[in-house]
Amino acid sequence: MTVDTETRPLPAARHARAAVAVLFFTNGALFANLLPRYPQIKEDLAIGNGAYGLAVAAFPAGAITAGLAAGLLIRRMGSARVAVLGTLLTGAGILAAGLAPSVALFATALFLAGAMDALTDVAQNAHGLRVQRLYGRSILNSFHAVWSIGAVTGGLMAAGAMSLGLSLGVHLAVSAAVLVAAAVAALRFCLPGPDNGPEETGPEETRPEETGREETGRERLTAEGARGTSRVGVVLAALVLIATAGTLVEDAGNSWAALYLSDALHASAALAASGFIALVGAQFIGDRLVDRFGQRAVARAGGLITAVGMGLALAVPTLPGTILGFALAGFGVATLVPAAMYEADALPGLKPGSGLTIVSWLMRLGFLLSPPIVGQVADAAGLRTGLLVIPAAGVLVVLLAGVLQACPRRD
């Protein structure tokens, strides 16, 4: 037991966990307020699927551009401050995107919002891992579940705003003000001090042989020494692909679900938002399964559910079936990103936080590549064909899940 564990009161640890949950919630809700408005923005700007796909790809492009700077900013400012500042600037960028009078300004605002969102994402995960180390047991999945709840809330806020006839400007200004205020309020309850201090190890951490559980992939790599180190790059690449598969599916809900439901299946604007809401709403359910069955089994089953569920929804397109398909896809990929981050954060041979930063940065290639590819395919063969990226991502997860932890966590 470390000195900090002996002196830090338990309520402070719980307060820090709640504060990080607020940061994840606001991050999920901010962008989700804009996504159901995409069909309206696309119509107002009078652009086709291809141009629209390129424009919305500006958000992940900004994230990739700024993502690698997160580690430096966190070391200088602290993860909590970076997360809150990023939330403030993300809200401003989303508001600017909603009010943009041209495609160029819309893409520019999304680029800036994406850059700030990337800083927020890495920082809040870094602080979440810090709180997890203090607890001495796995809690990161719960934060990603809260992000999904925030995204559902944001989608419902947008659907409600559209039902009430609120303008884009009023809706996005109010949502940004409320969510940013919540993030700022959470800052005072975050953990103080540097993010890489030795006091961050919790009292409940034990060695694998003491718990009777099977070693994780990263523990085996550490035990194998030089041979294991030579495999770190391969494992990291597989973790990046797993996380990227999750982002591909998420982007389908972000960028295309509302358009597909409104254009191809003739749903109303408010009902079209249900595709995105169903996808992110089902994600917080899957996180509960990890501690019971292990990351590997959950990921493989989830990949299969994603491939079959969305594949059937696209093969037989109906409004209820498609909404269910998006929900199954969200359920299937619910644990992929936190699983990849969890495994990458402690890979041997990497500096603290490097694995997390690399996975968080490169997985955004899914967000960057998906919109223009799906858009071009949609213009050539229809959006239903473009959305085949979802079952394809599920198949990829089934093939790569072997690098994840096999046994349930009992730490």
Side-chain angles (χ1 to χ4, degrees):
M1 183 176 293
T2 64
V3 173
D4 182 75
T5 301
E6 293 173 349
T7 59
R8 186 185 301 277
L10 184 59
R14 293 200 302 265
H15 293 163
R17 182 176 182 177
V20 175
V22 170
L23 296 178
F24 273 83
F25 179 89
T26 55
N27 182 250
L30 264 177
F31 194 38
N33 269 276
L34 178 65
L35 296 176
R37 293 283 197 166
Y38 272 177
Q40 177 185 344
I41 294 173
K42 179 175 178 288
E43 182 179 355
D44 291 343
L45 297 177
I47 55 177
N49 288 322
Y52 166 79
L54 290 172
V56 297
F59 188 92
I64 291 175
T65 302
L68 289 182
L72 176 62
L73 289 175
I74 289 170
R75 286 191 290 271
R76 290 187 175 182
M77 298 175 57
S79 56
R81 290 190 179 91
V82 172
V84 173
L85 179 61
T87 299
L88 172 63
L89 297 176
T90 300
I94 288 172
L95 175 59
L99 297 176
S102 67
V103 177
L105 291 177
F106 174 62
T108 300
L110 284 181
F111 181 91
L112 296 175
M116 297 303 101
D117 179 75
L119 300 181
T120 303
D121 184 43
V122 176
Q124 69 188 10
N125 275 286
H127 207 77
L129 286 168
R130 185 179 173 190
V131 176
Q132 175 170 281
R133 289 191 290 270
L134 180 64
Y135 266 66
R137 57 185 173 85
S138 175
I139 60 173
L140 186 62
N141 277 335
S142 68
F143 293 136
H144 286 261
V146 170
W147 185 95
S148 297
I149 295 172
V152 171
T153 303
L156 291 173
M157 291 169 65
M162 289 186 289
S163 297
L164 294 174
L166 294 181
S167 67
L168 260 173
V170 172
H171 162 214
L172 295 179
V174 171
S175 64
V178 171
L179 296 170
V180 168
V184 171
L187 178 60
R188 66 185 295 259
F189 297 103
C190 291
L191 297 175
D195 284 76
N196 57 352
E199 77 280 358
E200 293 176 7
T201 300
E204 300 174 26
E205 290 185 348
T206 54
R207 303 174 68 87
E209 59 269 25
E210 295 171 349
T211 62
R213 66 174 173 82
E214 182 177 322
E215 289 183 319
T216 64
R218 68 174 182 280
E219 288 164 345
R220 289 193 297 271
L221 291 178
T222 302
E224 291 173 0
R227 179 187 170 195
T229 301
S230 67
R231 295 174 53 202
V232 168
V234 176
V235 174
L236 185 60
L239 293 174
V240 168
L241 288 175
I242 288 173
T244 301
T247 62
L248 283 171
V249 176
E250 289 185 15
D251 177 74
N254 293 353
S255 302
W256 301 103
L259 283 174
Y260 181 65
L261 290 171
S262 61
D263 292 351
L265 301 180
H266 311 294
S268 65
L271 183 59
S274 61
F276 164 74
I277 294 172
L279 187 144
V280 297
Q283 288 186 318
F284 75 89
I285 301 173
D287 288 299
R288 302 175 183 178
L289 302 176
V290 172
D291 287 334
R292 181 173 181 181
F293 299 106
Q295 296 280 16
R296 184 183 301 174
V298 172
R300 280 180 174 159
L304 184 61
I305 290 171
T306 299
V308 174
M310 197 63 197
L312 288 174
L314 293 173
V316 186
T318 64
L319 188 58
T322 301
I323 294 173
L324 177 60
F326 278 114
L328 291 173
F331 175 81
V333 303
T335 64
L336 298 185
V337 172
M341 288 181 171
Y342 178 89
E343 297 289 346
D345 186 58
L347 281 174
L350 300 177
K351 294 181 180 180
S354 296
L356 172 63
T357 300
I358 291 171
V359 169
S360 180
W361 183 60
L362 290 179
M363 75 178 188
R364 292 179 180 271
L365 289 173
F367 287 118
L368 176 64
L369 298 176
S370 177
I373 291 175
V374 173
Q376 293 299 324
V377 173
D379 278 344
L383 185 51
R384 181 156 65 115
T385 302
L387 289 177
L388 288 173
V389 67
I390 299 177
V395 172
L396 180 64
V397 172
V398 173
L399 296 176
L400 296 178
V403 300
L404 298 175
Q405 179 175 277
C407 292
R409 294 180 193 152
R410 294 186 177 90
D411 52 336

